[in-house]
Amino acid sequence: MIGWYVHHHGRGHLTRAAVVAAHLREPVVGLSSLPRVGGPFADWVQLPPDDAAAGPDPTAGGALHWVPRREPALAHRLAALTGWVALARPRVVVVDVSVEAALAVRLAGVPVVVVALPGERGDDAHQLGYRVADRVLAFWPREVYDPAWLHPWAAKTRWLGAVSRFDDRPAGHGGGGVVALQGAGDAPGAAARPVPEGWHVLGGADWQADPWEALAGA
């Protein structure tokens, strides 16, 4: 069995997990504070949310990303995650993405695979997550993006290229126009910015669960 921690911000982390889970030959259990989903997941562990207002020292001196002192939700979240690990004993847990979740799983003695994201990830917290990981997954081609902050972990990094939930759908013929596809977690004002004529912006307030028809017709 594989556990897969899914970050709750936006929907990209969940989409990626579902695409990969559908192609694996063993059960995948989702772990997230997002609402329960079905599809390719064999089960779903509902974690308490951790999005309370910031308390004192939320980064533990810069070592982590989100552990505000005296926030009781963190203890409940940690107990739910490690409690499932203790009972289920998964072969491995994929973490996309949270250094705190990765550390919790590794402290429980379970191999952990960490998903790397593009951007600037050279801070101490990200680097700690990569350090404790057994593998690091990069969902882009190395030839396209090979950042210096990932070089120390190159020996255990696997560049997988892009994955898409639309791979099995027929290509559209294209009717003209441009679709600008943003995420569900983008800033609310992003979709309201002026765009050129003939553009259709999806995301933010106009996020669609399945944008394939718009994409195929663009």
Side-chain angles (χ1 to χ4, degrees):
M1 177 196 300
I2 296 173
W4 197 301
Y5 175 89
V6 180
H7 196 280
H8 61 271
H9 183 73
R11 290 297 181 272
H13 303 286
L14 176 59
T15 298
R16 178 164 43 235
V19 168
V20 177
H23 287 81
L24 296 180
R25 291 191 293 270
E26 62 182 296
V28 177
V29 176
L31 307 149
S32 181
S33 56
L34 286 171
R36 176 184 294 268
V37 296
F41 298 101
D43 200 359
W44 191 262
V45 177
Q46 194 73 49
L47 301 178
D50 66 346
D51 54 0
D57 193 19
T59 67
L64 301 171
H65 283 145
W66 189 251
V67 285
R69 194 179 290 124
R70 302 188 185 93
E71 173 47 63
L74 293 178
H76 294 299
R77 184 178 179 84
L78 183 63
L81 176 58
T82 56
W84 176 81
V85 167
L87 292 175
R89 302 308 301 173
R91 183 174 64 84
V92 64
V93 174
V94 181
V95 177
D96 182 4
V97 57
S98 163
V99 62
E100 293 81 17
L103 288 174
V105 170
R106 187 61 186 86
L107 284 168
V110 175
V112 62
V113 173
V114 170
V115 175
L117 300 179
E120 183 49 59
R121 313 292 173 181
D123 60 276
D124 290 344
H126 274 105
Q127 293 297 302
L128 176 59
Y130 304 144
R131 181 182 297 276
V132 303
D134 291 80
R135 289 287 185 271
V136 178
L137 303 183
F139 286 90
W140 66 81
R142 189 176 188 178
E143 297 78 10
V144 172
Y145 183 55
D146 189 14
W149 50 262
L150 201 48
H151 290 177
W153 322 113
K156 59 181 178 182
T157 298
R158 302 294 180 264
W159 284 265
L160 303 178
V163 299
S164 172
R165 57 183 165 146
F166 303 130
D167 281 347
D168 60 347
R169 300 202 189 182
H173 299 292
V178 175
V179 172
L181 188 62
Q182 299 177 148
D186 288 328
R193 296 171 185 165
V195 295
E197 184 178 354
W199 283 51
H200 185 195
V201 178
L202 297 180
D206 194 21
W207 180 79
Q208 295 183 11
D210 187 352
W212 177 247
E213 184 176 349
L215 293 174

